[in-house]
Amino acid sequence: MSVYEVVAVRYATRRAWKSGLYHRFESYGEPDTEASLDYYFWLVRDGPKAILIDTGFDPDVGERRGRTLLCEPREAMRRAGLSIENVAQVIITHFHYDHVGNIDAFPNAELLVPQRELDFWTSPPAGRAQFAEHVEPAEIARLEAACGSGRGRALSGEETIAPGLTAITVGGHSPGQLVLLVETARGLVVLASDAVHFYEELELDRPFAIIADLADMYRGYDLLRELQRDRQAIVVPGHDPGVMARFPSLGGAEEGIGVRVA
Ligand SMILES: [Zn+2]
């Protein structure tokens, strides 16, 4: 079985109120406080072969939405040691704008996307305000075209992508939200992406504010806790600033760009 290296790269950030980050925050009876939400993508490496998990937001889209770019995603990839030509596969965890920009930078990579995301984001409810706010129509069209052209492949249920690398569709935050299970020298790493934005969601059982299906979101939390308990899995949430503190920084000039999870 392959033993992968896993790197988390932080490319952007924003400040927000907890009342805007958690579903029905007022129900907890706590004072509202400010928090940071960071933006990441992830690299999974097996020797020279690299798999990119999500592609960050398009810098113009991020600017329009008022996000603070720390480093353009393509530059951040380079600084984290990724040469774009070596990316064999790009796995998209869900179709929200901050996970699917910059796809054009990888014309030769195989694109793996959740089938339920493809189905949902090309269906009528996706055009309603509470869903549409989180995606860019041009990016959805690009993903759809890539899959139609044979460059993309859709993932359903639980699928082994390569030995030691498994994708599970959990839904919740977005209808086809994926989590990735990666075997590493440190044991099992779970790249939760936005199945869990913040560690607090798991620790306090507090759903994030943006929800497609609340029951699925809770089931996703249960699955991750099970993996923590039964397999001592290292869970990496999708937007928590704490990720940068919990793992060793990429050395040298890359200080601050990312961390080596395993
Ligand atoms: Zn996100």
Side-chain angles (χ1 to χ4, degrees):
M1 182 186 290
S2 291
V3 171
Y4 297 97
E5 267 183 87
V6 178
V7 169
V9 179
R10 178 178 64 170
Y11 68 95
T13 189
R14 76 174 164 105
R15 296 289 287 165
W17 290 95
K18 282 201 167 180
S19 56
L21 296 176
Y22 288 94
H23 177 58
R24 301 192 63 250
F25 182 76
E26 73 283 1
S27 67
Y28 304 117
E30 291 174 15
D32 202 2
T33 52
E34 268 198 285
S36 288
L37 181 143
D38 286 351
Y39 294 82
Y40 298 89
F41 54 83
W42 304 271
L43 312 179
V44 172
R45 280 207 191 94
D46 177 15
K49 185 186 162 191
I51 301 167
L52 182 64
I53 316 297
D54 291 342
T55 52
F57 59 60
D58 178 292
D60 293 336
V61 171
E63 194 184 340
R64 172 168 31 90
R65 290 172 179 261
R67 307 312 186 227
T68 305
L69 193 63
L70 301 170
C71 182
E72 285 209 6
R74 291 176 206 211
E75 174 61 17
M77 288 169 199
R78 273 191 288 276
R79 286 179 57 189
L82 182 76
S83 47
I84 282 177
E85 316 77 68
N86 288 348
V87 176
Q89 289 172 315
V90 173
I91 304 174
I92 297 295
T93 63
H94 63 302
F95 285 11
H96 289 174
Y97 80 95
D98 55 321
H99 298 259
V100 301
N102 313 298
I103 290 279
D104 289 348
F106 308 93
N108 302 318
E110 185 189 19
L111 198 58
L112 301 173
V113 307
Q115 180 72 54
R116 272 166 63 183
E117 285 291 277
L118 260 187
D119 294 345
F120 177 78
W121 291 107
T122 54
S123 75
R128 309 300 279 271
Q130 292 295 329
F131 286 115
E133 185 189 338
H134 308 300
V135 297
E136 294 290 323
E139 292 177 344
I140 303 291
R142 217 169 283 149
L143 288 160
E144 199 187 0
C147 290
S149 74
R151 195 197 136 195
R153 179 152 72 87
L155 302 168
S156 307
E158 177 169 339
E159 282 200 40
T160 301
I161 292 167
L165 178 62
T166 302
I168 304 177
T169 301
V170 295
H173 170 63
S174 189
Q177 174 73 53
L178 283 187
V179 300
L180 287 153
L181 278 52
V182 192
E183 299 291 346
T184 75
R186 290 190 63 198
L188 180 66
V189 168
V190 179
L191 295 175
S193 177
D194 292 3
V196 177
H197 290 64
F198 297 109
Y199 287 110
E200 265 193 354
E201 287 168 54
L202 282 186
E203 290 161 5
L204 304 175
D205 205 33
R206 279 189 188 179
F208 188 72
I210 300 166
I211 298 173
D213 185 310
L214 183 57
D216 279 350
M217 189 176 275
Y218 277 129
R219 283 185 203 105
Y221 293 172
D222 287 346
L223 170 72
L224 298 178
R225 286 199 199 97
E226 228 173 84
L227 292 167
Q228 284 177 320
R229 189 191 60 220
D230 298 343
R231 297 204 49 201
Q232 287 75 51
I234 299 168
V235 173
V236 182
H239 289 273
D240 198 314
V243 168
M244 295 297 286
R246 288 197 193 200
F247 301 103
S249 180
L250 291 175
E254 313 322 332
E255 201 69 34
I257 261 287
V259 289
R260 193 171 302 287
V261 175

